[in-house]
Amino acid sequence: MAERRMFSKSVIWCDMFLEMPLSSQALYMHLNMSADDDGFVGNPKTILRMIGASEDDFKILVTKGFVIVFESGIIVITHWKRNNYIQKDRYKGTIYKDEKSYLNISNNNLYEKTERICIQNVSDLDTQDRIGKDRLDKGSIDKGRGEEESPPPPNSKTYGEFHNVKLSDEEYQRLKEKLKSHTNTMIEKLSRYIKSTGKTYQDHYVTILNWYEQDKEKLSQKKTGKIPTIEDYDKGEHL
C-alpha cells in the first residue's frame, strides 16, 4: 500500500469545506491519511476516538457529502480519486470488495453510491485516471446536500415559530450544550428561513450547527454588532 496521501486544493479550499468547523476539517484529513489505496476506511470510529473528534464532526462530513457510509460501518472518501494519484506498482486493492461493488465513478471523478453493480465496473478503471482532478464541479461537491429532505430523526419534535424545525430530544439538548443562550435564536432563524424561502434541508441539527459556527462571533457581540438576518443567509451557501 502506498505510504503517501495527497489532497487536491479544489476540494479542501472550496467554500463548502472551509465553512465546516476546524474539527471536521481535521477529521477529514485523518480519515484520508488512514484510508487504503481505494479510499476506504474500516475503523472510522476508532479514528474519531484517537483524535478526540465528535460524532457531530463526522455527521457534518457525511451530510456535506465528503464521505460515504455503508451499512457495515465502513466508509469511503468521496473525492478520493481527485485527491490521490497512486502508481500501479504501489497500488494495493481494497479488501472491502462488497462495499466497493456499490460504487460507481462519476464523470467528475467522484465516488457515487448506487445499487449493487458488478465489481468489475470499478476495479477495471485505471487507478491513474486523473481526468478533471484539479477542476471542481460545484454541483458535484454539493452532492449529499440536495433539496430533498431526509426523514426526521426518530422521536423528533418540531420547534420554531412555524413548527418546521425537526429535532430529536438528544439533538435539542446537544444544541443547548453547544449554543447555550443562542439556541433558540438559531432555531427561530432557521424556522423563519425555511418558511420564507420554502427550502428544505437534509438535517436541521447540522444546519443549525453550521450556521452557528459562521455567526458565533457576531452573536457574542450582540449588544454592539449586527446579527445576521435571513437575507444574509440567502447570500451564502448552507446545507
Side-chain angles (χ1 to χ4, degrees), residues 138-153:
K138 181 177 182 297
S140 65
I141 202 165
D142 284 349
K143 184 174 178 61
R145 62 167 192 166
E147 290 299 317
E148 281 193 26
E149 188 171 10
S150 298

Side-chain angles (χ1 to χ4, degrees), residues 81-130:
K81 289 187 174 292
R82 284 197 178 181
N83 285 335
N84 287 278
Y85 172 79
I86 301 175
Q87 296 180 4
K88 285 185 176 181
D89 60 346
R90 297 183 180 180
Y91 168 76
K92 181 178 180 181
T94 185
I95 63 174
Y96 304 113
K97 303 296 185 184
D98 188 57
E99 286 77 13
K100 191 173 182 179
S101 69
Y102 285 95
L103 293 179
N104 197 1
I105 298 179
S106 72
N107 293 333
N108 298 312
N109 220 22
L110 305 179
Y111 278 136
E112 293 180 336
K113 189 176 180 182
T114 64
E115 296 298 325
R116 183 182 291 274
I117 58 176
C118 177
I119 295 178
Q120 185 177 1
N121 288 352
V122 175
S123 299
D124 287 351
L125 291 172
D126 187 358
T127 60
Q128 314 305 315
D129 185 9
R130 294 170 61 87

Side-chain angles (χ1 to χ4, degrees), residues 32-81:
N32 272 265
M33 294 301 297
S34 302
D36 63 21
D37 287 351
D38 283 313
F40 288 85
V41 181
N43 59 339
K45 291 185 178 180
T46 300
I47 295 172
L48 261 71
R49 291 194 297 269
M50 286 175 58
I51 69 171
S54 68
E55 290 289 340
D56 290 340
D57 295 325
F58 182 71
K59 194 172 184 180
I60 289 173
L61 292 179
V62 175
T63 302
K64 291 209 169 191
F66 286 103
V67 299
I68 297 171
V69 181
F70 297 92
E71 291 183 2
S72 60
I74 295 164
I75 70 167
V76 68
I77 308 299
T78 307
H79 302 83
W80 180 257
K81 289 187 174 292

